[in-house]
Amino acid sequence: MAPPNPSPLLPDPDATEDGAADDAEDPDAAAAAETRERTVDAALHGLRLDKALVMLAPEFSRSHLQGLIGRGHVRLDGQPATLAARAVRAGQRLTVELVPTEQARAFRPQAIALARVHEDEHLLVLAKPAGLVVHPAPGHWSGTLLNALLAHHGGAAVLPRAGIVHRLDKDTSGLMVVAKTLPAMTALVRAIAARELRREYCALAHGDVGAAPFSVEAPIGRDPRSRVRMAVSAQGRAARTDFTPLARAHGASALWCRLHSGRTHQIRVHLAHRGHPLLADALYGGAPLLGLARQALHAARLGLTHPASGRWLQFEQPLPPDMAPAWQQVSPGDPFATMRAQRG
């Protein structure tokens, strides 16, 4: 049994922050497993059990087969064989239940509620809650936005990444746009590449960033010291963020942020680079403050040209309940109204 082709699935670096995958067995996966049997012959005699399994099921990685051994899916002469280093002997009956890999099972629909802000036949604008992973990736092979989209409409199954054209970090809340057709996806991807999609955020950062608006234009690449972090790097890709300070209090600054590019962790990296990490952003040195338990970042405004009608659409999403109280302690009132007042 060859696992389904996972080529449309792009790993989400934002989703790797929470560590290793859950080893709990999935009953549906076990039910879907193919069983293979082989009598150990001279070619296999004396091999480690895991190496013998590679001969029996070469389409699976050795590490995945070792996992099947550890979880009791392999038998020798009808008895569980749970030691990968055990040598097999000629004449033994080797049996394996080939439970699909986590990645192969990631592309499946799951009934997960979506907070729809706007929807038509071409696109969906939604409010992503903090804690929801966008793409399946190690540690998060299910329960993602992609799984929800596959259940939401049938067309998602034939679109790359189920129509996802940009992402938010797992612990960032707010607005996202998703394509529902291939022409809409093509148009949105091109708009993002041309920096025509307008994305604005509310953020709470440590310290006093000052009163004057400022921009950070600094390339971002993978941090060579940590695979889950990004960093300002001369070898990185160009990135620019505009920041408008709205208020300062209680050791924090409230900022309105506009992306001009969409690098991984861009706002988080640019603020940390200036010495002002987001509140509760442990990955970039931001300590918890004002009751926040996750990074203080919310995608508040999204503007785009509709891929079919050509009309300009703009959406606003209020701060969610977990971030609003912290924001009010620093900048009382409506952040949208505060920003409009700043612009005059």
Side-chain angles (χ1 to χ4, degrees), residues 5 44 46 50 58 67 70 96 100 122 130 142 151 164 166 194 201 220 229 233 241 248 281 295 297 304 344:
N5 178 14
L44 299 182
D50 54 354
V96 57
H122 305 284
S142 63
I164 295 169
H166 69 118
Y201 293 70
I220 292 176
R229 285 170 50 103
S233 167
T241 314
R248 298 168 305 286
D281 188 359
Q295 64 210 29
L297 189 61
L304 61 115

Side-chain angles (χ1 to χ4, degrees), residues 158-227:
V158 299
L159 295 174
R161 302 176 301 279
I164 295 169
V165 294
H166 69 118
R167 61 178 150 212
L168 296 177
D169 298 344
K170 172 178 175 281
D171 288 326
T172 297
S173 57
L175 294 168
M176 290 183 63
V177 60
V178 177
K180 293 180 66 178
T181 67
L182 189 56
M185 187 168 192
T186 301
L188 288 170
V189 168
R190 287 175 177 169
I192 291 171
R195 302 187 178 181
E196 295 169 352
L197 201 72
R198 191 176 183 99
R199 289 172 284 176
E200 301 179 21
Y201 293 70
C202 292
L204 291 170
H206 281 280
D208 185 344
V209 302
F214 61 95
S215 295
V216 177
E217 192 157 2
I220 292 176
R222 186 70 61 185
D223 188 332
R225 299 167 299 178
S226 171
R227 68 181 183 86

Side-chain angles (χ1 to χ4, degrees), residues 57-134:
E59 70 271 34
F60 288 92
S61 70
R62 184 175 168 190
S63 62
H64 178 65
L65 294 171
Q66 288 172 339
L68 296 183
I69 294 170
R71 296 199 298 275
H73 292 291
V74 178
R75 293 176 177 271
L76 282 170
D77 292 333
Q79 298 301 310
T82 57
L83 185 62
R86 172 181 177 177
V88 299
R89 303 190 308 274
Q92 287 181 313
R93 192 69 180 167
L94 175 59
T95 306
V96 57
E97 292 178 321
L98 293 171
V99 177
T101 65
E102 294 281 357
Q103 187 171 3
R105 287 152 40 204
F107 249 76
R108 59 180 177 178
Q110 290 182 292
I112 300 169
L114 295 173
R116 289 176 286 172
V117 176
H118 168 86
E119 184 171 17
D120 58 40
E121 61 185 305
H122 305 284
L123 58 81
L124 165 67
V125 176
L126 59 95
K128 187 190 88 67
L132 178 65
V133 173
V134 173

